Amino acid sequence: MKIKSEPQKQPLNSSDTVTFADRVLGFFLQLRIKKSLPKDVEVLNPYQNDQVFELCRLFYKKYYDDPGQRILIIGINPGRLGAGLTGIPFTDPIKLLTYCGIQNSLPMKPELSADFIYRVIEAYGGPEKFYSKFYFSSVSPLGFTKDGKNLNYYDVRELKESLREFIIDSLEKTIAVGIDTAVCYCLGEGENFRFLCQLNDEMKFFKRIVPLSHPRFIMQYRRKKVADYVADYISKVSA
């Protein structure tokens, strides 16, 4: 795929009402990590790719083209086969086509986390109902790789420290697109939850943070209990 370093796009529509989708697309366009990162760590920024950004535009205009608020479900950071490829959190190219009806020419490879999340979305009532209430993002909305493998923002201490300013700024801007701050659901009950809670204690982003088992953990180590975890998700996000 051809990458352009400075894409020229106009995400906002010409009407007087700026929608949730408009603000999200504008947020994606300005995502940049300005600080130097540890050696051999590479950034996944799919929003600099015109093809991917157009898929994002189609997706967010389909499900978020209204001025209403959403509840945030926040992951760790994008991976190579999910949001790092499509630009849409927990949506691989297969789910984008089969569940969202958006044609794309990206490599049709599944992502484990997306497999689980779309089971939850279907159990909730389907994409239109789910996305009318919830919005997915990540503590770091840009992903990372090292030696060709996915890297979590907290896996390398120097990386987490260098990303602190970027993470705080991104969370502030994510909330500004139209997030209801009464509750936030955190994917990951370990390091991601601890870091987000520590940051929230300082910055007061959300009144309450509810942890959920991470989809990848479920699909790798608890696959026989997927139905139970889906039910747990539905119970907690519906409370």
Side-chain angles (χ1 to χ4, degrees):
M1 294 184 294
K2 185 178 180 181
I3 303 294
K4 293 185 178 182
S5 59
E6 293 296 334
Q8 300 296 318
K9 312 180 184 72
Q10 299 295 327
L12 300 185
N13 60 30
S14 58
S15 69
D16 293 333
T17 302
V18 178
T19 67
F20 193 103
D22 295 329
R23 291 189 289 268
V24 168
L25 294 169
F27 169 67
F28 289 161
L29 282 180
Q30 58 80 49
L31 279 172
R32 299 287 190 280
I33 296 175
K34 298 178 182 179
K35 286 197 173 183
S36 298
L37 301 183
K39 184 180 179 181
D40 298 328
V41 173
E42 297 185 1
V43 178
L44 294 171
N45 188 345
Y47 309 110
Q48 293 184 353
N49 180 286
D50 286 343
Q51 175 190 0
V52 172
F53 192 86
E54 175 60 15
L55 294 176
C56 290
R57 190 189 68 79
L58 292 172
F59 176 86
Y60 286 101
K61 283 294 188 178
K62 182 172 184 176
Y63 296 113
Y64 293 91
D65 203 27
D66 60 75
Q69 286 191 319
R70 301 300 198 278
I71 295 170
L72 182 64
I73 303 178
I74 193 164
I76 299 169
N77 49 247
R80 293 176 298 115
L81 300 180
L85 183 61
T86 65
I88 303 163
F90 300 100
T91 301
D92 59 36
I94 297 173
K95 311 303 183 298
L96 189 59
L97 174 62
T98 58
Y99 287 92
C100 305
I102 296 177
Q103 297 282 342
N104 67 90
S105 59
L106 298 172
M108 289 290 156
K109 295 182 179 180
E111 183 195 48
L112 279 179
S113 292
D115 288 346
F116 177 79
I117 287 299
Y118 273 85
R119 293 193 190 194
V120 172
I121 289 173
E122 283 295 288
Y124 190 81
E128 287 190 7
K129 183 178 179 181
F130 185 89
Y131 289 129
S132 71
K133 185 174 181 180
F134 300 102
Y135 171 72
F136 282 114
S137 188
S138 297
V139 170
S140 172
L142 295 181
F144 310 95
T145 61
K146 186 176 182 180
D147 300 325
K149 298 180 180 179
N150 287 332
L151 185 71
N152 296 325
Y153 71 85
Y154 54 71
D155 286 340
V156 178
R157 180 176 58 83
E158 294 83 357
L159 176 61
K160 184 169 70 171
E161 291 174 353
S162 65
L163 289 173
R164 178 180 169 81
E165 182 178 326
F166 171 73
I167 287 171
I168 291 174
D169 180 67
S170 294
L171 278 169
E172 290 175 340
K173 290 176 178 175
T174 295
I175 290 170
V177 306
I179 296 299
D180 182 343
T181 58
V183 63
C184 168
Y185 295 94
C186 176
L187 299 183
E189 299 170 299
E191 185 63 28
N192 197 43
F193 179 60
R194 286 191 292 271
F195 178 78
L196 186 59
C197 285
Q198 290 170 359
L199 207 58
N200 195 57
D201 287 342
E202 177 185 345
M203 304 300 297
K204 311 300 181 186
F205 290 126
F206 309 102
K207 292 181 181 178
R208 186 164 59 102
I209 300 176
V210 176
L212 297 167
S213 296
H214 196 277
R216 177 166 285 277
F217 169 81
I218 295 168
M219 297 300 283
Q220 281 189 318
Y221 303 109
R222 299 290 188 271
R223 189 177 284 268
K224 292 182 179 180
K225 295 187 176 182
V226 164
D228 293 336
Y229 281 101
V230 169
D232 182 63
Y233 264 59
I234 297 299
S235 174
K236 288 179 179 176
V237 303
S238 301

